[in-house]
Amino acid sequence: MKEGSVAACLVTFNRLGLLRSVLPAVLNQSRKPDKVFVINNSSTDGTAEWLKEQEGITVITQDNTGSSGGQYTGIKTAFEQGFEWIWVMDDDVVPHPDALVKLLEIADENTVVSPLRLTSKNHPYLNDTIEFNMTNPFKSFWKQIVSTDLLQKKALKATGITFEGPLFNRKLVEKIGLPRFDFFIYGDDSEYFLRAERKGFSIVINTEALFSRLIDPPEGFKFDWKSYYQARNQIIIDRLYGNFAVRIVRPVLYIFKWLAKCRNLGQIKTMLSAFRDGYFYREQIPEKYK
């Protein structure tokens, strides 16, 4: 197992019922983190009061900056305090007792190691991406998704993992910086690990390191407040990492697809704003978070 201090960074917002399961699982790992940071995005459901009663944690309360802002703050804090390894997650995934040990077994300075996530029915959650399509604007962004047959490997190479349990060395932050603060939700993890891969880091899923998801994804499409971020951030990623054709063409194709799903003028305006803000994106970080 690798030497060096480990900081766990747990981002939460208004999900106290889930947090009550996640935080104890982090604190009670067989190899305990040296520090546990809980980034509370100004929850209003009693989370702050409950966290005050917990021992062995450091709570950072900030504005509700979404998952991306929470991960930004957690990673930034762990890095600035000198921790060698940074372990990040949201408040809806429960690490199994030996998850950190398993992640550390195959981690190194140049490798990001992510756990295998399980659904509420204890089946592998086939959501991570082996490879993104950044060259053909007329085909899906997701070129190859993790499949059951690939899970026979202990260390499965991937590109598109999530902020639901990955462990990485501080060298990653030194080389590529922090996650994009202003993504708010959706795609912040894809962008960060695409950036890592472009800088020469390997990304693997350790299929023996397990996390259990407490919430399964919704079935079917539903237009809601997240749709703006889904469309905008997808366009941003294409504009940042696609070849010329992808950068120019695919955002237009995406927006037509999303507009076709709109059912009223408000939704149309939302999607047009997402296109504008994604196509002409410039990162914005409030001064107090820099």
Side-chain angles (χ1 to χ4, degrees):
M1 186 169 65
K2 302 298 182 298
E3 300 295 329
S5 56
V6 178
C9 304
L10 169 57
V11 178
T12 189
F13 175 68
N14 277 355
R15 295 205 285 200
L16 178 56
L18 304 183
L19 186 62
R20 290 179 186 273
S21 297
V22 177
L23 182 57
V26 176
L27 291 169
N28 295 319
Q29 288 289 296
S30 56
R31 192 292 193 196
K32 298 183 185 302
D34 299 282
K35 191 89 166 184
V36 176
F37 296 105
V38 180
I39 298 84
N40 176 17
N41 276 341
S42 293
S43 299
T44 58
D45 63 346
T47 290
E49 293 75 15
W50 183 77
L51 287 172
K52 288 178 181 178
E53 301 171 355
Q54 309 311 306
E55 298 180 352
I57 64 174
T58 297
V59 179
I60 302 170
T61 302
Q62 63 180 25
D63 299 334
N64 181 18
T65 55
S67 175
S68 66
Q71 299 294 351
Y72 174 99
T73 295
I75 295 169
K76 181 175 185 286
T77 302
F79 178 78
E80 290 178 346
Q81 293 194 16
F83 289 93
E84 186 72 13
W85 301 96
I86 302 172
W87 188 30
V88 301
M89 66 199 75
D90 289 324
D91 56 6
D92 60 353
V93 285
V94 178
H96 290 207
D98 62 351
L100 181 54
V101 167
K102 294 293 186 182
L103 293 171
L104 285 166
E105 282 179 358
I106 63 173
D108 63 49
E109 288 185 352
N110 300 304
T111 304
V112 178
V113 185
S114 187
L116 174 64
R117 295 167 296 150
L118 306 177
T119 68
S120 61
K121 296 181 180 179
N122 214 37
H123 298 150
Y125 183 48
L126 303 178
N127 172 259
D128 296 304
T129 306
I130 301 298
E131 184 180 0
F132 291 122
N133 163 32
M134 306 308 296
T135 59
N136 187 335
F138 302 104
K139 290 191 176 181
S140 172
F141 173 70
W142 294 274
K143 188 172 184 178
Q144 184 182 10
I145 304 295
V146 170
S147 58
T148 304
D149 60 314
L150 294 175
L151 297 179
Q152 307 306 314
K153 303 176 182 179
K154 177 178 179 178
L156 173 61
K157 288 187 177 182
T159 297
I161 59 171
T162 70
F163 282 137
E164 295 184 355
L167 174 84
F168 49 84
N169 190 270
R170 64 180 289 107
K171 183 178 178 181
L172 180 71
V173 184
E174 292 173 355
K175 293 284 188 178
I176 75 168
L178 298 166
R180 292 186 180 270
F181 177 92
D182 56 1
F183 266 42
F184 198 82
I185 191 170
Y186 189 84
D188 50 323
D189 36 26
S190 295
E191 189 280 329
Y192 195 58
F193 296 116
L194 258 171
R195 200 190 324 164
E197 186 178 63
R198 295 286 175 98
K199 288 293 185 177
F201 288 85
S202 296
I203 302 168
V204 300
I205 298 169
N206 184 338
T207 59
E208 295 180 357
L210 302 177
F211 268 54
S212 291
R213 302 190 86 249
L214 297 176
I215 299 177
D216 287 333
E219 296 182 4
F221 172 79
K222 178 183 178 183
F223 200 111
D224 58 19
W225 65 270
K226 296 179 184 179
S227 299
Y228 166 83
Y229 295 103
Q230 290 174 335
R232 186 200 67 166
N233 296 352
Q234 185 65 64
I235 290 170
I236 293 171
I237 291 171
D238 278 351
R239 295 282 288 167
L240 289 173
Y241 300 105
N243 65 7
F244 181 78
V246 166
R247 293 198 307 270
I248 302 301
V249 176
R250 196 155 65 187
V252 177
L253 298 178
Y254 273 135
I255 205 62
F256 275 112
K257 182 183 74 172
W258 280 90
L259 286 172
K261 297 178 180 180
C262 294
R263 294 294 176 265
N264 55 58
L265 182 59
Q267 292 177 358
I268 291 172
K269 289 181 177 179
T270 295
M271 287 299 100
L272 292 176
S273 295
F275 177 80
R276 177 199 63 207
D277 297 344
Y279 205 85
F280 302 104
Y281 170 74
R282 294 291 183 273
E283 185 174 19
Q284 298 182 16
I285 307 174
E287 195 64 36
K288 66 179 178 179
Y289 293 103
K290 292 181 179 179

